[in-house]
Amino acid sequence: MIEFKDVGLVYPNGTEGLKNINVKINDGEFVVIVGLSGAGKSTFIRSINRLVTPTTGELIIDDENILNYSSNKLRMLRTKTGMIFQNYNLVKRSNVFKNVLAGRLGHTGTIRSIFNQYKKEDVALAYESLHRVNIAEKIYNRADELSGGQQQRVSIARVLTQQPKYILADEPVASLDPPTSHQVMTYLKKINREDKITTIVNLHFIDMAMEYADRIIGMRAGEVVFDGPVSEVSESTFEEIYGRSIREDDLRGGAKES
Ligand code: ADP
């Protein structure tokens, strides 16, 4: 379980990224964070694996306050927290298989990983993960030979190979066209359901959030302004999140990405 208790984050330049956040995310949930650009979605998600560090409050993951973690504990935290990025973060010149096997790095000793000595089980797991996102036929292609949607599927396979307890996806479809975005979201949801991995996704577009989320957290100016199931989202929720009523460019296809 993940619990934010009065969490605040002030960046060194004085910007308040998070203000007084109190949120509990239960195991197995599929949560989508929505909000305008700059609302704090990325800061929220990156606090969970300590890519950024909140400056006040407590962030409890599996009964421990991760804000006190030393480097050893941080490594363990990052091994159980898989991250998916907007720009895929693959090693472009490496092939798909090596990229996916990199998901085991947190579990494999440094010496083994330096010499590319992966265990048989790790290799089998990487194959299986590639099959699960239907990209196994590209296994020996270089990552930079793939389309954006294919690269994002490889990055999902890498996360699967990591066998994390939590998946954090920071704008995973912001660089993709609508059909490809739906495909990527469908894989994320399927994995959440099948493997019961708690999944937290930042999305720009509210219609896509409504389609896939169990629960929506709306953010605005560093604060949580809505937290509830999709069934409770109403016109006034949009106003709280966007400061105005819903319009065409809050919907996928309505506007260009900022
Ligand atoms: P979102 O993901 O919703 O677009 P962010 O979490 O990236 O929002 O940003 C929240 C606020 O924090 C914004 O005002 C942004 O400009 C600011 N911010 C983000 N990262 C940094 C940083 N490294 N240094 C200073 N300010 C930052």
Side-chain angles (χ1 to χ4, degrees):
M1 195 177 70
I2 298 171
E3 187 172 7
F4 285 70
K5 285 185 175 173
D6 289 323
V7 169
L9 187 150
V10 181
Y11 282 107
N13 69 357
T15 307
E16 273 192 279
L18 297 176
K19 294 179 200 164
N20 203 31
I21 305 288
N22 285 289
V23 164
K24 205 188 270 186
I25 295 172
N26 296 309
D27 289 344
E29 278 192 293
F30 194 96
V31 179
V32 176
I33 321 277
V34 290
L36 289 169
S37 184
K41 306 182 294 295
S42 185
T43 305
F44 179 96
I45 230 171
R46 285 164 192 252
S47 295
I48 296 170
N49 62 355
R50 285 278 308 272
L51 287 181
V52 296
T53 303
T55 43
T56 51
E58 291 183 358
L59 180 39
I60 312 288
I61 299 186
D62 301 333
D63 303 318
E64 291 185 16
N65 183 7
I66 65 154
L67 303 186
N68 300 329
Y69 271 8
S70 59
S71 54
N72 237 355
K73 283 275 204 172
L74 271 184
R75 243 191 319 276
M76 285 161 66
L77 174 69
R78 288 179 186 151
T79 300
K80 72 172 172 182
T81 320
M83 185 99 183
I84 292 171
F85 298 88
Q86 175 175 348
N87 296 322
Y88 329 121
N89 263 27
L90 301 179
V91 180
K92 291 189 181 355
R93 291 154 166 281
S94 279
N95 69 27
V96 164
F97 198 46
K98 281 192 188 151
N99 268 287
V100 172
L101 268 170
R104 294 310 293 166
L105 281 180
H107 300 273
T108 312
T110 319
I111 297 295
R112 266 181 180 274
S113 63
I114 288 173
F115 292 102
N116 278 329
Q117 292 175 331
Y118 288 95
K119 292 186 210 147
K120 250 203 219 143
E121 307 91 88
D122 292 352
V123 171
L125 183 60
Y127 269 117
E128 187 200 327
S129 303
L130 281 165
H131 276 289
R132 287 186 70 187
V133 291
N134 231 348
I135 192 90
E137 81 279 7
K138 300 286 185 196
I139 190 162
Y140 296 118
N141 284 71
R142 265 172 55 146
D144 59 6
E145 292 168 352
L146 306 185
S147 69
Q150 289 171 333
Q151 289 190 53
Q152 197 58 298
R153 273 146 65 199
V154 172
S155 94
I156 295 173
R158 179 178 58 192
V159 157
L160 275 173
T161 305
Q162 185 179 337
Q163 296 188 305
K165 179 166 182 192
Y166 303 102
I167 291 179
L168 309 174
D170 197 2
E171 298 277 7
V173 300
S175 305
L176 304 175
D177 59 49
T180 312
S181 300
H182 280 287
Q183 192 185 48
V184 164
M185 288 303 294
T186 302
Y187 280 121
L188 287 175
K189 184 82 184 226
K190 188 164 176 272
I191 289 160
N192 161 261
R193 287 291 181 266
E194 290 176 356
D195 299 11
K196 317 230 173 336
I197 301 175
T198 310
T199 304
I200 306 171
V201 185
N202 283 349
L203 287 181
H204 211 80
F205 294 102
I206 194 121
D207 54 348
M208 189 155 290
M210 298 282 286
E211 198 166 327
Y212 293 95
D214 298 329
R215 168 180 173 190
I216 289 187
I217 294 178
M219 292 191 72
R220 185 175 170 193
E223 291 179 281
V224 169
V225 293
F226 175 83
D227 182 1
V230 169
S231 58
E232 281 175 18
V233 172
S234 66
E235 186 69 23
S236 70
T237 314
F238 295 126
E239 287 178 16
E240 280 164 47
I241 297 174
Y242 294 102
R244 51 174 166 72
S245 27
I246 187 91
R247 64 184 195 211
E248 192 57 13
D249 57 359
D250 300 320
L251 303 173
R252 185 95 214 175
K256 301 266 177 291
E257 269 300 308
S258 59

